Amino acid sequence: MTTHPLLVPRPRRTPGKGAARARAATPKARTGLYSSQLRLLGSENAFRIGPQIKALEDQGLKVIRCNLGEPDFPLAAHIADEVKSQIDLGQTHYCDPQGILPLREAIARTVAERRGIKVTPDQVVVFPGAKPPIGLALQAYCDPGDEVVYPSPGFPIYESFATYVGARPRPLHLREETDFSFNGRDLAPLVSRRTRVIILNFPSNPTGGVVTRAQLEEIAEVIRRKAPAQVRVYSDEIYEDILFDGNRHHSIASLPGMAERTVIVSGVSKSYAWTGGRVGWAVFPSADEAAVFKNLNINYFSCVPAYNQMGARTALESPLSRASIARMCEAFAERRDLMVAGLNAIPGVTCRKPGGAFSLFPNIAGLCGNLGAVRAHQKLPRSDRGRTSPSTLVQMFLLWRYQVATMDRRSFGRIGSDGLHYLRLSIATGLDDLKEGLRRMRAAASDRDGFQSFIREGKHLW
């Protein structure tokens, strides 16, 4: 059996004088409990503010939750019934760490049909959600000093794990004026001989940006021309079914020469409102690469529960699923239209209408100015300014004084975010709650005195 090129050890790099001096130096005794590497790991702030929300709710206050990207719809009955049936059938034991064959066959068929490429079950690996393959891919493909290109604003784990594994983060800053999408000209300056992973996420979190086939063709041309042969495109397609206004999902793997470079990732959390099911998957360019990630699964997770995997198979294959997804998209579109209009009516706020996903990314630069958030941030001690931003102060003000939970710009990529004033609002919550959230945000936007009092109080600023 031939060894896959990615599994061949890379030539040893000759260390410079600085590295030699570092090896010669006597290491200092460590005094802390945790490793220095652990301090490099970030988090997902949408979960971190959970205790703050609970503290407010424990006081009897109702918090409008626009922080988590979790559909508020129940798991469809036909999927839930299959899970319960599989538990009754005894599918509660260890199973194949790569994923049970019936699900991998269903994933291979679905991915192949939708993207027009050839996929076999031995290229598929099932994970406990679509988040683990992010970190595992960066561990598998990157050595320290290698470069990872990723969208910013983007899912925070991209930047977090790139830093954690010692890679060099190379954020591709998405612009509001291009609806938070990008093309080959935007990507080209970030691709170098050290690039090892290029992350794409369409439809995008947190912006809802979508991509056209023409844009993907430009992006693919740049990758084929400039990227090293061993680069991997990590195509995060978890929102592939959440689209509006006639938009269609396009995968870069469908383009000539890209299937053999692309890791396609998706799962059940968004399309099927099954965030607690923890079933995600990746389709790798080869069976050899899939085997590497199967071994990572063994080391980290052992396996994903077989009863949930059988539920995921039903989700992919049942004709009832398309109707469930369509009902969700219709509801999300109604909420999006309401919220975009409402946000644009708030002085100092502008919001574009996203083409997919279920979050909004309004520009609050004017609001930060009206409330005095920029000035308040400038007056913070230097040691505190680096921990927060004007939009963070507004986020905390909205939460603690008006009980609206949102996320700040820094929560979706810190590198290069200074001076950018945005919030992320999830619309995966009920229409009545969103209307109330808008009402509270309008009130907060005109409450400069309340904001200044919040800052002087100095509590809950981050």
Side-chain angles (χ1 to χ4, degrees):
M1 179 177 175
T2 58
T3 303
H4 192 277
L6 279 168
L7 306 183
V8 177
R10 298 181 193 169
R12 185 181 299 275
R13 298 183 182 119
T14 303
K17 294 180 180 179
R21 285 197 298 269
R23 284 200 306 273
T26 302
K28 295 181 180 178
R30 215 179 83 194
T31 57
L33 174 63
Y34 301 111
S35 71
S36 57
Q37 184 180 14
L38 187 63
R39 292 196 293 271
L40 300 175
L41 187 64
S43 185
E44 189 176 350
N45 286 343
F47 287 100
R48 292 185 68 178
I49 68 169
Q52 298 171 327
I53 293 172
K54 185 178 185 301
L56 288 163
E57 291 177 336
D58 286 346
Q59 299 173 36
L61 299 169
K62 178 177 174 59
V63 177
I64 306 300
R65 294 173 177 250
C66 294
N67 57 309
L68 273 179
E70 178 176 38
D72 59 322
F73 296 87
L75 178 63
H78 68 283
I79 303 172
D81 289 344
E82 179 65 18
V83 173
K84 289 181 280 188
S85 174
Q86 292 296 325
I87 291 173
D88 290 340
L89 290 171
Q91 294 281 8
T92 56
H93 300 282
Y94 285 133
C95 61
D96 188 342
Q98 187 164 345
I100 60 173
L101 184 58
L103 176 58
R104 288 191 287 117
E105 289 175 334
I107 293 167
R109 281 193 297 270
T110 302
V111 171
E113 290 170 3
R114 293 185 182 180
R115 292 159 183 81
I117 60 176
K118 182 180 178 181
V119 179
T120 59
D122 60 0
Q123 293 173 250
V124 179
V125 181
V126 179
F127 299 95
K131 186 186 292 185
I134 299 170
L136 296 178
L138 296 185
Q139 286 181 328
Y141 295 128
C142 295
D143 280 330
D146 288 339
E147 295 180 355
V148 177
V149 179
Y150 60 95
S152 181
F155 189 52
I157 305 306
Y158 303 152
E159 185 172 284
S160 170
F161 242 100
T163 304
Y164 181 63
V165 302
R168 182 186 177 195
R170 298 276 281 163
L172 196 169
H173 289 285
L174 307 178
R175 302 187 306 278
E176 183 180 0
E177 57 269 25
T178 58
D179 288 326
F180 300 107
S181 191
F182 67 94
N183 56 33
R185 293 186 300 278
D186 301 315
L187 174 63
L190 299 174
V191 179
S192 77
R193 62 184 180 82
R194 298 300 299 273
T195 304
R196 288 297 178 271
V197 177
I198 298 171
I199 299 176
L200 306 182
N201 176 216
F202 295 111
S204 300
N205 175 27
T207 65
V210 297
V211 69
T212 65
R213 185 178 176 89
Q215 286 173 292
L216 281 180
E217 287 172 346
E218 285 189 30
I219 292 167
E221 189 278 327
V222 168
I223 293 170
R224 289 191 297 261
R225 175 169 50 85
K226 290 200 66 178
Q230 65 268 43
V231 80
R232 282 295 172 261
V233 178
Y234 185 98
S235 187
D236 186 341
E237 302 180 18
I238 190 67
Y239 290 94
E240 61 182 290
D241 293 308
I242 313 299
L243 290 159
F244 317 120
D245 307 328
N247 282 303
R248 296 181 59 192
H249 177 62
H250 301 284
S251 174
I252 196 169
S254 302
L255 301 180
M258 296 309 298
E260 54 265 41
R261 291 172 172 256
T262 302
V263 180
I264 305 167
V265 181
S266 194
V268 303
S269 293
K270 313 303 182 182
S271 297
Y272 305 101
W274 196 12
T275 55
R278 308 317 302 144
V279 181
W281 52 80
V283 176
F284 292 91
S286 70
D288 284 343
E289 284 177 72
V292 169
F293 284 80
K294 173 182 177 177
N295 189 48
L296 287 168
N297 261 3
I298 292 170
N299 277 269
Y300 278 96
F301 315 114
S302 294
C303 59
V304 176
Y307 51 87
N308 278 356
Q309 291 193 58
M310 290 301 290
R313 177 198 184 192
T314 295
L316 286 172
E317 295 189 329
S318 172
L320 299 174
S321 295
R322 303 317 299 177
S324 296
I325 293 170
R327 285 192 294 271
M328 274 204 308
C329 287
E330 184 179 348
F332 288 142
E334 181 183 7
R335 298 172 189 182
R336 177 201 62 168
D337 293 346
L338 168 85
M339 290 295 289
V340 167
L343 289 167
N344 281 318
I346 297 175
V349 178
T350 60
C351 185
R352 290 183 173 255
K353 184 181 288 189
F358 40 73
S359 57
L360 307 179
F361 206 66
N363 185 326
I364 62 164
L367 177 60
C368 287
N370 295 344
L371 291 176
V374 175
R375 177 68 173 155
H377 181 258
Q378 291 170 343
K379 293 174 68 175
L380 290 172
R382 183 183 297 272
S383 58
D384 289 339
R385 285 203 299 273
R387 299 168 57 195
T388 187
S389 71
S391 63
T392 313
L393 299 179
V394 172
Q395 174 201 341
M396 292 294 102
F397 175 60
L398 288 171
L399 177 61
W400 288 100
R401 291 294 178 89
Y402 284 87
Q403 289 77 63
V404 180
T406 64
M407 303 305 303
D408 64 347
R409 168 64 181 83
R410 282 166 53 91
S411 294
F412 299 95
R414 295 188 177 190
I415 299 171
S417 67
D418 292 348
L420 302 175
H421 310 301
Y422 293 87
L423 291 178
R424 199 286 296 268
L425 282 77
S426 169
I427 55 172
T429 192
L431 198 59
D432 289 341
D433 277 357
L434 291 174
K435 291 176 180 178
E436 174 61 16
L438 275 176
R439 186 194 66 78
R440 295 182 188 185
M441 291 183 70
R442 281 195 295 269
S446 60
D447 189 8
R448 182 182 175 91
D449 290 343
F451 179 82
Q452 296 300 323
S453 171
F454 175 73
I455 296 297
R456 285 194 299 271
E457 189 179 86
K459 293 169 60 178
H460 315 306
L461 294 185
W462 38 74

